[in-house]
Amino acid sequence: MALLEIEDAAKAFGSLKAVDGVTLAVEAGRVQGIAGPNGSGKSTLFNLVTGIPFGPDRGTVRLEGRPIERLPAHEIAQAGIARTFQRETSFDGLTVFENALVGATFGGRRKASAPAREAAANALGLVGLAPATFPRLAGELSVFERKCLMLATACAMRPKLLLLDEPASGLTRPEIEASIGLIQGIAASGVTIVLIEHVLTFLMSLSDHLVILNGGRVLASGSPRSVIADPKVVEAYLGTRRPAA
Ligand code: ADP
Ligand code: MG
């Protein structure tokens, strides 16, 4: 059984079918990439899986075989799924450490106990935020540090599955290289990762398996090298001919 199984998931906004019958599986221990043109439904797919802010209109999402598509977002988080967002998202008026603690305590649903504080500190260490940064306000961090903090807050939840939405966007090349190392470290710690990204070097260095979405549907799925060589994928990116909706 795969760790995550999505079957025929769909979400429409009015007449716009943002996610239009997606079926895919994520094996435990894998880093799975998701790419696709802007508006192809990638972030919406993460929203459906995490219930933040909404679940699917139809279809099923199973974590370790258990249906989760009707659970509220905090129960999905407690079941073992954490995510980051396309835009850097933090509690800007809280310190770096407090932000990670929000993750470790599932937004206050669990006590800020010694193990939670330890999980917060470990997660910050995992993303390279040194103890000297812990008292700083999140709002004062650089873009890269904010991305690292968002990653740490998600890791502090000790998820089985981590969903990363464009972790490399807006970063410089050295920062991208650093992020690749961080994500490899998180994967090596036993967390399964699904990664939405446009930056090709990022996807190719990290992904064991790559899925391409287009128009809310799965256009291709397989090894990264085979997928990016697929003529359907090349066409979708170059926009020479859009597949029929
Ligand atoms: P991607 O992440 O692949 O760029 P999204 O999943 O963000 O794409 O969006 C897919 C489509 O759904 C886009 O056309 C987008 O404008 C639309 N969309 C996403 N979220 C909403 C929303 N909350 N309300 C209305 N339309 C939305
Ligand atoms: Mg997106």
Side-chain angles (χ1 to χ4, degrees), residues 42-43 86 165-166 196:
K42 305 181 297 295
S43 296
Q86 199 166 329
D165 198 347
E166 299 200 22
I196 293 172

Side-chain angles (χ1 to χ4, degrees), residues 96-113:
V96 165
F97 189 75
E98 287 164 346
N99 268 275
L101 203 54
V102 169
T105 58
F106 289 88
R109 285 184 169 83
R110 291 183 191 166
K111 284 216 175 87
S113 57

Side-chain angles (χ1 to χ4, degrees), residues 7 14 63 70 76 78-79 90 101 112 118 123 132 151 157 184 209-210 224:
E7 213 172 290
L63 184 70
R70 298 285 160 237
I76 295 174
Q78 285 172 348
S90 54
L101 203 54
E118 195 183 322
L151 192 55
M157 295 165 67
Q184 281 168 338
H209 188 96
L210 183 59

Side-chain angles (χ1 to χ4, degrees), residues 65-80:
R66 173 190 174 203
I68 57 167
E69 73 277 355
R70 298 285 160 237
L71 297 182
H74 70 273
E75 288 184 24
I76 295 174
Q78 285 172 348

Side-chain angles (χ1 to χ4, degrees), residues 118-243:
E118 195 183 322
N122 286 344
L124 289 165
L126 197 57
V127 304
L129 285 168
T133 67
F134 290 6
R136 290 179 62 195
L137 289 180
E140 294 169 354
L141 301 178
S142 71
V143 169
F144 179 58
E145 288 170 324
R146 286 171 63 105
K147 284 206 186 269
C148 290
L149 177 57
M150 182 166 59
L151 192 55
T153 304
C155 288
M157 295 165 67
R158 285 153 290 172
K160 294 173 183 151
L161 176 68
L162 182 57
L163 309 180
L164 305 178
D165 198 347
E166 299 200 22
S169 71
L171 299 184
T172 65
R173 187 160 286 278
E175 289 167 347
I176 288 174
E177 292 300 325
S179 298
I180 290 172
L182 295 180
I183 292 169
Q184 281 168 338
I186 294 166
S189 78
V191 181
T192 304
I193 294 176
V194 182
L195 176 75
I196 293 172
E197 195 43 78
H198 285 295
V199 178
L200 204 59
T201 50
F202 209 83
L203 274 178
M204 299 308 279
S205 3
L206 283 165
S207 311
D208 305 311
H209 188 96
L210 183 59
V211 173
I212 306 290
L213 293 187
N214 193 35
R217 292 168 168 268
V218 175
L219 181 67
S221 172
S223 79
R225 302 225 157 267
S226 69
V227 164
I228 61 161
D230 186 327
K232 290 195 300 287
V233 173
V234 175
E235 274 182 14
Y237 270 93
L238 296 180
T240 48
R241 181 173 63 83
R242 298 241 173 253

